[in-house]
Structures are given as C-alpha cells and as structure tokens.
Amino acid sequence: YELSKGRMVDLEWAYRLDRSYSGNTLIINNEIHHRYWVRFSSEKLEARLGLQKIVFGPSQILRSLSWFDTIDLKDPTGQTDGVEAFRLRWFPSNSLSLWSWAIMNEKDTLSFGGRVEFSTNQGEWGLTYHMDPSNPHQQVALDYRYDGFIGFWNESTLIQSDDLEQRMITIGSDYTLPIANGILIMTESM
C-alpha cells in the first residue's frame, strides 16, 4: 500500500505444506508458517517485523555468515527457515547501508546485532556483529566481494564465548566463460 510518494507499507504471508506419501499412506506431514511480516519502506529506510529471512555475505555455498538461515545445498529451491525479528535497514547514500536487528530466540529472549555495508570501486565490504545474551556468545564478521575480470570474495568470522573461540574463513572466486550466454565457473574453500 503506497502511503505517499516513495513511502509504502506491504506484507507477506506464506504457509509451508510438506507431505510425503508411500502409496496411499501419509508418511510426513509438516504444516508451518514459512513467512509473515509487515514492512514499511521509503527511499532511505526499510523496517520489517515478523517471521523473515535474514541473509547476508557474498559466499555462495560454504557460508561462514549463515548465522540465521538453514539453507540446504541439496535443495534446489534455496528455501530457509525464517527468524522472528525486527530488522531496520538505513541507506544514507548509494555506497553505504546500515542494518540492525533484534531476533526472538528459542528461549524467548532477544538477541541483537548490526551490519555496515560499504561499496567502493575496489569492491564491497561488510562488517557484522551479533550478540545473544541468553547464550553468552558474540559473533563478528568481515566480508569482501570484488567483481572484476575474475570475481573474488571472502567471509571471515569469529564466534566467541566463555569456553569457545571458533574462526571460519571462506574464500571464493568465479569467472564467466564467454560461451553462448555464459558458463559460470566457481570455486569456494573454507
């Protein structure tokens, strides 16, 4: 619904129904809300509340920054479970975006975080932070993507708590062969 020029409110509701049969026998029956959210958006701001997908980072397969998604590489649809959250994105310029979020976790407490994305001629940078007070750990990440003759990306994460320090780095590159409409060659390593 358009409120005024450049400002609108919209919503999405999706219900997921998975059923598996063996002959006439129902083996699996999953019925859940897949997405439900309401969003206010303008030229410089987007605010979304509800069950939603929060995904960021340049990696395609080995995703160090898959903090809030459940993407299964064997699933060609790329579906992921959502998180109940409030997400705010602000775009002060064409080269800068700021994200913040508060997510309701399994213990019915809020975890929170933010992200800064900066785009230059030398590539796109992202810095992300997330903290869950109910499970005292912090997540910090730095990612980079360059699209030139050969594409290159990196996701570096640190997950830290009282008894754990885990570091993950994903690097990747791609190139499109100039054959027909293009054949993409891609590699990633973690």
Side-chain angles (χ1 to χ4, degrees):
Y1 177 77
E2 189 165 343
L3 299 172
S4 63
K5 186 176 180 180
R7 297 171 52 190
M8 64 179 281
V9 173
D10 64 335
L11 58 94
E12 177 178 308
W13 177 74
Y15 195 75
R16 187 169 181 172
L17 175 66
D18 293 328
R19 290 187 176 172
S20 295
Y21 291 89
S22 178
N24 291 332
T25 306
L26 178 63
I27 297 173
I28 298 172
N29 183 23
N30 293 325
E31 298 181 28
I32 59 171
H33 289 284
H34 183 64
R35 300 276 183 273
Y36 54 85
W37 51 256
V38 61
R39 172 178 59 187
F40 168 80
S41 58
S42 68
E43 187 176 311
K44 299 279 187 186
L45 185 73
E46 178 187 274
R48 183 184 292 184
L49 176 66
L51 183 62
Q52 58 189 290
K53 176 179 173 179
I54 299 180
V55 176
F56 41 78
S59 290
Q60 305 293 312
I61 299 170
L62 305 173
R63 299 175 22 80
S64 303
L65 276 170
S66 62
W67 295 349
F68 313 121
D69 66 63
T70 58
I71 294 174
D72 182 358
L73 299 176
K74 300 176 295 242
D75 181 4
T77 64
Q79 295 295 316
T80 181
D81 294 337
V83 292
E84 290 188 22
F86 173 72
R87 184 185 73 185
L88 184 66
R89 295 194 305 170
W90 179 43
F91 310 98
S93 71
N94 288 338
S95 61
L96 179 66
S97 70
L98 305 169
W99 301 36
S100 63
W101 57 81
I103 298 174
M104 184 65 70
N105 63 25
E106 292 89 20
K107 298 178 183 177
D108 285 336
T109 59
L110 289 176
S111 62
F112 55 90
R115 177 170 171 82
V116 175
E117 293 177 337
F118 187 66
S119 181
T120 68
N121 292 339
Q122 289 76 36
E124 298 173 1
W125 297 86
L127 178 63
T128 311
Y129 174 79
H130 182 76
M131 181 178 186
D132 186 350
S134 70
N135 180 10
H137 71 273
Q138 301 178 58
Q139 297 166 283
V140 180
L142 177 67
D143 59 271
Y144 172 74
R145 178 167 182 88
Y146 175 74
D147 278 322
F149 179 72
I150 294 177
F152 168 80
W153 59 88
N154 169 293
E155 288 183 1
S156 301
T157 65
L158 170 66
I159 300 172
Q160 191 170 21
S161 67
D162 294 338
D163 58 347
L164 170 73
E165 183 171 299
Q166 181 179 9
R167 294 181 179 155
M168 290 187 286
I169 297 174
T170 302
I171 58 169
S173 66
D174 62 11
Y175 176 72
T176 303
L177 295 172
I179 299 171
N181 288 333
I183 298 175
L184 177 68
I185 298 172
M186 183 189 74
T187 183
E188 277 189 344
S189 181
M190 181 181 272

